[in-house]
Amino acid sequence: RRISKPGWGVCGVGKISNDFTIGLFQNGSRVRAAAARDEARAREFADKFAAWGHSVERSYGSYAAMFEDPEVDVAYIGTLQTTHREVALAAIRAGKHVVVEKPAGS
């Protein structure tokens, strides 16, 4: 039985998310989507990786929209630190596995 690779979704499109996404591509992961508070920034992020020969398949203008994507299995939370808890909990509520860039606070 062949197990497919999980689909990653990247929340936030700043430097830390950029560096994490490079690592995902280096280890052969599938990056299904990127999300930002501004859809144009998420699209720029995806386009930048496309220019390097990698596919970020979709871009979203909200994290909630990305969490509705059934092909996103794991959400990487690379947003501003003050939003980590809120965004991580939203992903968990949507049934996603979560990796947070820094530990979440209370």
Side-chain angles (χ1 to χ4, degrees), residues 12-58:
V13 294
K15 180 173 177 2
I16 298 295
S17 292
N18 180 79
D19 294 348
F20 188 83
T21 303
I22 289 170
L24 289 174
F25 283 122
Q26 286 175 338
N27 75 20
S29 295
R30 289 180 6 197
V31 181
R32 293 293 197 179
R37 293 173 293 171
D38 175 357
E39 188 171 359
R41 289 197 63 224
R43 172 65 11 223
E44 286 175 22
F45 185 85
D47 290 345
K48 175 177 55 180
F49 281 97
W52 296 340
H54 299 291
S55 176
V56 175
E57 299 171 18
R58 298 174 195 83

Side-chain angles (χ1 to χ4, degrees), residues 29-104:
S29 295
R30 289 180 6 197
V31 181
R32 293 293 197 179
R37 293 173 293 171
D38 175 357
E39 188 171 359
R41 289 197 63 224
R43 172 65 11 223
E44 286 175 22
F45 185 85
D47 290 345
K48 175 177 55 180
F49 281 97
W52 296 340
H54 299 291
S55 176
V56 175
E57 299 171 18
R58 298 174 195 83
S59 57
Y60 293 100
S62 76
Y63 309 124
M66 188 183 78
F67 299 152
E68 292 176 11
D69 186 331
E71 294 192 17
V72 171
D73 304 302
V74 184
Y76 171 73
I77 312 301
T79 59
L80 296 172
Q81 187 173 352
T82 55
T83 67
H84 284 177
R85 182 175 188 268
E86 169 191 339
V87 177
L89 288 174
I92 291 166
R93 285 186 202 105
K96 307 302 180 186
H97 299 277
V98 174
V99 175
V100 181
E101 183 253 328
K102 288 187 180 79

